[in-house]
C-alpha cells in the first residue's frame, strides 16, 4: 500500500525579520524533504521571494538572521560544533566559521557594520555578547555580563539587551561601536524588566510589579522612566506582545485562545484595544512593523506558513492566498472530558471513518493549533480521521489547565485521553475499528501509557522518540530536559491504581501492535530509551512490535514533509497496521 500524498506544499519555520522590517528569512522544506533557505522582500503589495537556495541542515537546530540588504546569516548545530554561513542575495553561501560554544543569534543595528550579535553563556553563569563580522575576524567579543542575557531588540542604532544587574533583569543599551553598556532605567523602578520589542524610540517591556507582570514602555535613552500600560485583561486568551508601531503608540499583541490565534491592536494613548480581522488559524508570535505596515507569519490547516501583512491604517490581515488546493480542512471541536471540556483539532469524520487516530502532542508544555501540519495532512490524505486533543497539560487554556500535570506526568492527561477514547468509541458504529494512538516525544510516552492503561481499547500505537519514565530520562538527558523535569516535578510518583508511570513495569500490558521510531541523532531524548523499550517488549513476548531508527534524523524523526519516508511508514502502519508488523516482533531498522 502506498500512502496518498497531499498537495505540493512548502513547510516554513524559523522566520526572522531584518532590523528595518523590510526583509525576512526562514527555512523551508519541500514535499521531498529538501531543506531550503529563503529570503523575502516585504513590499506594499505583499511578500516577494528573492532568494531560495538548498541547505543541508536540520530546521530544529538552525537559526536564521535576515539583514537589511537582503543577505541571510544561517547557523546550525552538529553534535560537536555550531557552524555559521553568510548567503548573498544570489543565494551563494560562504562559511564564516565554527564554534564549540553554543551561540544564540540576535539581530544587530543595521548601521553598526555587524552581521548580527550572538550570546554565549559562560561556565560561571555569566554571559558574553559577541559581534559577527563579514570580514576579518568573524567573531569578536563586545561585552561581558555577570548573569544570563535574555531578550534583545534593535532600537534605532542601538542594541538593547535584557541583562541581570544587581540581581535584577533590566534593559541595557549596547553601543555597537565601542561595546559600552548603559542602563536605561534607574534601579528600583520595578523588580524585573524585560525588553520585548522596539518602535518609535520606545522599548516595549514586561515589568514584574508585585506578583503580576505588566506591559510598559521605556524610552530608548539613559535615565528613562517606566511607563506602565493598562492593557485590558479581557482579550480572551494568553497575550504575547510582538511589535510596536513606528510611532511608538500602538502595540501588536498575539492572543492565544486555545487552538486559535487572534491579533489585538492596543492604543497606548486611548488605552483601548481592537481586534484585527485575521484568518482562522495560527499567528506565529514574531513580527516587524515598518512604516508600510505590520508583518507576521501566519498559518491555517489549508495554508502553509506564509507572511501575512496588515497595511498601514487597516485592520484586516492580508495573505497571498487563503488556501492551497488539495489540502484537507480541519476544525476545532469540544469533546467531553473527566474534568471539563477538551478542545481538539479534527480532520475528517471520526464517527464514520474506517480508521481514527488520536494524535498526542509533545512538549508537554505545548498544544495542537489550527495551523498547517504536514504529518496530520498526510494522515488525512490516507483516509484517516484525526482527533488531536489539547488535554490537560496543554498550553493555551489558562494556568490551571497547563499546570494540571505538574507533579503528575501521565495523570490528569492520561485520564483525559482514556475518557476521550471512550467517547469516540461510543460514537462509532458497533464493531468499528477501535481508535489508534500516535504521539511524539512526551506524547509518545503518553500514548504508550494509554495503550498500557487500557490494553483492549486501542487498535495500534505509534510512538516517535518516546522515553520510559521521567526518572530514566533524567538519568540520561542533558540539562534542558533535566530542568524541565525538575520544574514540572515529574519525579513525583503517582500512587493510583495504575501506579508509577514507568513503562519498564507497564509495557507488558500493551497488546495492540506498536511501531516505535527514534532518530539515532536525537540529542533531546537519547535513542537508548527506545532501544531499551523495544528489547523489553520483545523479551516479554509482545507479538507485534516494529522499530525504526533512521540514522540521519534527530529528535524530529519525522521531517514534516509529505514525501518523507518515515512519515509514509508511520501512515501506512496506522492505515493497515496488520500488514506492517511482524508476528514475532521485528526490530528492523
Amino acid at each position: 500500500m502506498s500512502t496518498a500524498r497531499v498537495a505540493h506544499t512548502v513547510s516554513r519555520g524559523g522566520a526572522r525579520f531584518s532590523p528595518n522590517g523590510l526583509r525576512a528569512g526562514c527555512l523551508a522544506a519541500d514535499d521531498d524533504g529538501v531543506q531550503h533557505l529563503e529570503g523575502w522582500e516585504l513590499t506594499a503589495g505583499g511578500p516577494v521571494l528573492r532568494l531560495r537556495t538548498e541547505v543541508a541542515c536540520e530546521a530544529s537546530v538552525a537559526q536564521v538572521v535576515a539583514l537589511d540588504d537582503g543577505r541571510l546569516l544561517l547557523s546550525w548545530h552538529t553534535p560537536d560544533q555550531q557552524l555559521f554561513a553568510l548567503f548573498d542575495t544570489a543565494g551563494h553561501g560562504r562559511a564564516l566559521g565554527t564554534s564549540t560554544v553554543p551561540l544564540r543569534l540576535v539581530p544587530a543595528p543595521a548601521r553598526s557594520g555587524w552581521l548580527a550579535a550572538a550570546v554565549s553563556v559562560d561556565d560561571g553563569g555569566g554571559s558574553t555578547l559577541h559581534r559577527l563580522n563579514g570580514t576579518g575576524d568573524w567573531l569578536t567579543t563586545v561585552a561581558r555580563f555577570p548573569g544570563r542575557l535574555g531578550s534583545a531588540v534593535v532600537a534605532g542604532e542601538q542594541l538593547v539587551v535584557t541583562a541581570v544587574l544587581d540581581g535584577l533583569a533590566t534593559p541595557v543599551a549596547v553601543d555597537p561601536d565601542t561595546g559600552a553598556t548603559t542602563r536605561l532605567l534607574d534601579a528600583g523602578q520595578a523588580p524585573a524588566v524585560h525588553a520585548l520589542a522596539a518602535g518609535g524610540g520606545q522599548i516595549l517591556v514586561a515589568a514584574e510589579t508585585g506578583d503580576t507582570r505588566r506591559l510598559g514602555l521605556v524610552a530608548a535613552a539613559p535615565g528613562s522612566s517606566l511607563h506602565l500600560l493598562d492593557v485590558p485583561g479581557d482579550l480572551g486568551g494568553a497575550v504575547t506582545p510582538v511589535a510596536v508601531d513606528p510611532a511608538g503608540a500602538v502595540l501588536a499583541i498575539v492572543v492565544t485562545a486555545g487552538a486559535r490565534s487572534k491579533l489585538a491592536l492596543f492604543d497606548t494613548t486611548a488605552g483601548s484595544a481592537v481586534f484585527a480581522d485575521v484568518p482562522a488559524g495560527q499567528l506565529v508570535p514574531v513580527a516587524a512593523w515598518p512604516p508600510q505596515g505590520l508583518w507576521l507569519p501566519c498559518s491555517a490547516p489549508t495554508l502553509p506558513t506564509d507572511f501575512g501583512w496588515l497595511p498601514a491604517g487597516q485592520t484586516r490581515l492580508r495573505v497571498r492566498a487563503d488556501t492551497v488546493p488539495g489540502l484537507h480542512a480541519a476544525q476545532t471541536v469540544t469533546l467531553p472530558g473527566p474534568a471539563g471540556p477538551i478542545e481538539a483539532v479534527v480532520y475528517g469524520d471520526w464517527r464514520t471513518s474506517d480508521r481514527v487516530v488520536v494524535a498526542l502532542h509533545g512538549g508537554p508544555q505545548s498544544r495542537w493549533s489550527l495551523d498547517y501540519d504536514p504529518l496530520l495532512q498526510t494522515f488525512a490524505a490516507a483516509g484517516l480521521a484525526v482527533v488531536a486533543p489539547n488535554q490537560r497539560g496543554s498550553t493555551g487554556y489558562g494556568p490551571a489547565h497547563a499546570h494540571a500535570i505538574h507533579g503528575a506526568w501521565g495523570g490528569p492527561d492520561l485520564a483525559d485521553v482514556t475518557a476521550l477514547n471512550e467517547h469516540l468509541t461510543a460514537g462509532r458504529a458497533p464493531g468499528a475499528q477501535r481508535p489508534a494512538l500516535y504521539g511524539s516525544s512526551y506524547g509518545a510516552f503518553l500514548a504508550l501509557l494509554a495503550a498500557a492503561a487500557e490494553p483492549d481499547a486501542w487498535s495500534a500505537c505509534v510512538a516517535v522518540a518516546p522515553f520510559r519514565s521521567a526518572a530514566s530520562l533524567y538519568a540520561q538527558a542533558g540539562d534542558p530536559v533535566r530542568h524541565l523535569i525538575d520544574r514540572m516535578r515529574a519525579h513525583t510518583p503517582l500512587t493510583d491504581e495504575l501506579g508509577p508511570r514507568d513503562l519498564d513495569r507497564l509495557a507488558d500490558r500493551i497488546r495492540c501492535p506498536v511501531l516505535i521510531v527514534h532518530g539515532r541523532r536525537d540529542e533531546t531524548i537519547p535513542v537508548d530509551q527506545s532501544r531499551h523499550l523495544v528489547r523489553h517488549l520483545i523479551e516479554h513476548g509482545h507479538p507485534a512490535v516494529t522499530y525504526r531508527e533512521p540514522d540521519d534524523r534527530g529528535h524530529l524523526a519525522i521531517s514534516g514533509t509529505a514525501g518523507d519516508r518515515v512519515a509514509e511508514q508511520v501512515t501506512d502502519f496506522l492505515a493497515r497496521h496488520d500488514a506492517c508488523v511482524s508476528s514475532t516482533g521485528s526490530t528492523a531498522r
Side-chain angles (χ1 to χ4, degrees), residues 360-368 390-395 401-403 405-406 408-410 413 440-443 445-446 467 473 481 484-485 487-488 490:
L360 304 178
H361 64 71
Q365 297 175 310
S366 184
R367 76 188 195 287
W368 292 111
N390 284 331
Q391 67 280 348
R392 279 176 287 178
S394 304
T395 58
H401 192 88
H403 296 163
I405 64 170
H406 283 220
W409 277 15
D413 49 358
S440 176
S441 193
Y442 180 87
F445 170 68
L446 184 60
F467 57 90
L473 180 59
V481 173
L484 172 69
I485 292 172
R487 187 171 67 252
M488 298 190 69

Side-chain angles (χ1 to χ4, degrees), residues 58 71 118 161 167 181 215 251 267 287 414 438 440 477 481 501 531 539:
E58 186 176 322
R71 292 180 297 167
V161 299
T181 58
L215 296 180
L251 311 183
D267 188 317
L414 178 60
Y438 167 84
S440 176
V481 173
R501 299 324 196 241
R531 293 171 178 171
E539 289 170 0

Side-chain angles (χ1 to χ4, degrees), residues 484-537:
L484 172 69
I485 292 172
D486 288 336
R487 187 171 67 252
M488 298 190 69
R489 296 180 283 113
H491 295 291
T492 306
L494 299 184
T495 57
D496 56 12
E497 184 177 297
L498 189 61
R501 299 324 196 241
D502 186 341
L503 289 170
D504 285 346
R505 58 176 293 274
L506 293 173
D508 302 353
R509 299 165 52 103
I510 299 174
R511 297 176 188 167
C512 66
V514 174
L515 169 63
I516 294 177
V517 179
H518 208 131
R520 187 176 299 180
R521 297 167 55 188
D522 193 334
E523 296 182 4
T524 302
I525 297 178
V527 68
D528 187 61
Q529 290 281 314
S530 285
R531 293 171 178 171
H532 181 104
L533 183 57
V534 169
R535 288 195 299 268
H536 178 93
L537 287 167

